[in-house]
Amino acid sequence: GQARFWASKLPGMYRAARRMFSVKKKGPLDGVKVLELGQLIAGPWAGTILGYFGADVVKVEPKGGDPIRGWRKLDETGTSFWWRGHARNKRSIEVDLKSEDGKDLVKRLSGVSDVLIENFRPGKMEEWGLGPEDLKAINEKLIYTRISGYGQTGPYSKKPGFASVCEAVGGFRYVNGFPDRPSVRPNLSMGDTIAGLQAVIGILLALQARTNPAEGKGQVVDVAIYESIYNFLEGSVSEYDGAGVIRECSGSTLTGIVPSNLYRGSDDKDIIIGANGDSLYSRLLDAMDIATEDSLRSFDSNAKRVDNQTQIDKAIGDWVAKRPASETLAMLEKARIPSGLIYSVEDMMSDPHYIAREQFETVHIEELNKDLKIPAIAPRLSLNPGETRFPGRSKPGEDAADVLKDWLGE
């Protein structure tokens, strides 16, 4: 019992000691000042990524704080557990953007910022006198990042743009689900998260472009949530234009790729098997002990397997159902077939690979005197990796004095 206890603790103790005694390395975005005016998910997620990799992020919160502070499961202080990771590494100031004092403060902070992020309805920042042209007059090097449902131009630009709707307009909901029932959504705000990633790409490109001596200026980065989703549709557009084919939803399979599906073991645990390469398929049949003369052996190309998908999936499903999922996975691993369980977050947090790859970071919540695990952020850099320096602030505006001093010298 004690040996198992210390074995579970030693990796974390080693990492903590290594951080304590290692030379502090600057993040790749060290020195980049980011003014985050966004709320909820898309804009703030972009700021979170930039802050994780070293940027100095100042989060401008409305009076009462960002609504995410009170979303989903809350701790004893009434603060969302999600908030601690979502707002990590961000100093908080509280500003009323409708007031003249608030607008003036944002203008002064913009004057010394490298990047501004906002995800208000298109036109709102202009109404406040804080649009790109307004701030360009103050700081022509400012990279002005805008995230909205449908972008800053076009007939839909003024529409409300929540991720749930934009995932539908962007085509994702059409291909997600089963053919015999309505479209489904994953229990995540994928559109917002992907749009945040697209914003980070745009910001990094604009930062690089700004280093060009011939330019040396900032620019507007215009991110639309529906376009972020649309960019993930693979060959759907070309397939429709070239062949008139509309890719439909296909349940747990992937159209035109066989076998790649979900199969249930005798213990009711589901596993994914992806044996859609010719050699992989052959090895899978060997693992299944399929006879040489069996018709399954004749499906030696993806095109043949697509034409016979029902027969192939039934054979694999019947084979998987004979034993617990863990036994099947052991056989597939021995045969070098890509496969795995469908993980819940509970599975992830006890998985040795997740732990070895340091996918859980621990932050300390001072007012509760408790530790909390939050997810690490990819990618891993070998020389100057990202890190969580502190969790999301407990109170809106608690860094106001420090920000005014550090950024404005006041």
Side-chain angles (χ1 to χ4, degrees):
Q2 280 204 350
R4 188 180 298 112
F5 172 81
W6 285 110
S8 68
K9 295 296 183 182
L10 283 173
M13 294 169 65
Y14 166 73
R15 289 192 294 271
R18 187 179 65 184
R19 286 193 294 268
M20 184 181 300
F21 295 107
S22 63
V23 177
K24 174 70 175 177
K25 293 182 179 180
K26 294 182 178 180
L29 297 178
D30 183 70
V32 175
K33 292 181 177 177
V34 178
L35 187 63
E36 181 194 298
L37 276 73
Q39 296 180 37
L40 300 176
I41 304 175
W45 176 234
T48 299
I49 296 172
L50 297 174
Y52 191 76
F53 290 99
D56 182 4
V57 181
V58 169
K59 181 171 181 61
V60 177
E61 298 195 64
K63 294 296 181 181
D66 190 309
I68 289 286
R69 286 178 174 273
W71 278 23
R72 298 202 172 101
K73 295 296 182 180
L74 311 180
D75 65 20
E76 295 94 320
T77 70
T79 301
S80 167
F81 291 107
W82 183 12
W83 172 260
R84 302 299 186 178
H86 193 54
R88 74 184 85 181
N89 301 333
K90 299 178 185 180
R91 294 191 286 176
S92 171
I93 62 173
E94 198 173 29
V95 177
D96 180 2
L97 293 175
K98 298 177 182 178
S99 71
E100 293 304 317
D101 287 345
K103 296 173 188 175
D104 178 68
L105 177 57
V106 168
K107 287 179 179 178
R108 287 187 289 134
L109 291 170
S110 298
V112 296
S113 297
D114 296 289
V115 178
L116 180 146
I117 301 172
E118 65 95 357
N119 62 338
F120 295 106
R121 173 178 54 81
K124 196 65 179 176
M125 291 290 283
E126 284 82 355
E127 289 179 18
W128 290 330
L130 300 173
E133 293 303 315
D134 300 304
L135 300 186
K136 182 179 179 180
I138 300 170
N139 180 2
E140 66 175 9
K141 292 188 176 183
L142 180 66
I143 294 167
Y144 197 112
T145 309
R146 321 194 75 172
I147 306 176
S148 61
Y150 303 97
Q152 301 297 313
T153 60
Y156 296 170
S157 62
K158 302 299 182 184
K159 282 188 174 185
F162 273 27
S164 55
V165 180
C166 293
E167 289 168 10
V169 175
F172 171 72
R173 295 292 187 90
Y174 190 86
V175 297
N176 192 51
F178 288 81
D180 61 344
R181 64 197 77 172
S183 174
V184 298
R185 75 171 296 180
N187 195 12
L188 299 164
S189 296
M190 286 185 60
D192 284 323
T193 301
I194 294 172
L197 289 171
Q198 296 277 38
V200 170
I201 293 171
I203 290 166
L204 297 179
L205 292 172
L207 284 169
Q208 175 61 29
R210 201 178 66 174
T211 65
N212 185 340
E215 297 293 336
K217 296 180 181 179
Q219 58 184 297
V220 174
V221 176
D222 180 1
V223 177
I225 297 174
Y226 91 96
E227 289 170 355
S228 300
I229 288 291
Y230 164 75
N231 279 176
F232 277 65
L233 295 186
E234 299 176 350
S236 296
V237 169
S238 301
E239 290 165 2
Y240 176 71
D241 189 55
V245 173
I246 298 175
R247 190 181 298 193
E248 303 286 345
C249 56
S250 59
S252 59
T253 68
L254 188 62
T255 300
I257 307 293
V258 178
S260 180
N261 207 343
L262 175 152
Y263 308 93
R264 178 157 292 181
S266 62
D267 54 357
D268 289 332
K269 290 187 177 181
D270 295 326
I271 63 175
I272 300 290
I273 299 176
N276 44 284
D278 294 346
S279 62
L280 288 173
Y281 178 68
S282 178
R283 294 205 300 272
L284 173 61
L285 296 184
D286 290 343
M288 294 169 61
D289 199 22
I290 299 298
T292 304
E293 65 275 12
D294 195 293
S295 61
L296 291 172
R297 292 283 183 181
S298 66
F299 309 143
D300 54 2
S301 71
N302 188 63
K304 293 178 183 178
R305 291 192 293 275
V306 170
D307 289 338
N308 295 275
Q309 179 173 354
T310 300
Q311 180 184 346
I312 294 170
D313 273 338
K314 184 180 186 307
I316 299 172
D318 291 345
W319 177 71
V320 171
K322 293 177 180 178
R323 61 191 64 80
S326 60
E327 291 184 18
T328 301
L329 288 172
M331 297 170 69
L332 293 171
E333 184 173 349
K334 185 177 180 180
R336 306 188 315 281
I337 305 297
S339 56
L341 286 170
I342 296 178
Y343 272 21
S344 70
V345 68
E346 182 179 22
D347 297 320
M348 296 172 193
M349 293 189 73
S350 60
D351 184 271
H353 189 77
Y354 272 84
I355 294 169
R357 295 277 293 176
E358 301 182 0
Q359 288 302 297
F360 311 107
E361 299 182 357
T362 301
V363 294
H364 188 69
I365 312 303
E366 292 185 5
E367 61 270 36
L368 296 176
N369 194 29
K370 288 184 178 180
D371 288 342
L372 179 71
K373 284 186 171 61
I374 61 175
I377 298 177
R380 293 166 64 99
L381 301 183
S382 61
L383 294 180
N384 40 17
E387 65 172 348
T388 299
R389 298 179 294 282
F390 53 87
R393 298 304 200 196
S394 297
K395 298 178 182 178
E398 67 177 79
D399 299 292
D402 288 340
V403 170
L404 292 177
K405 179 182 177 182
D406 295 345
W407 280 32
L408 301 177
E410 298 179 1

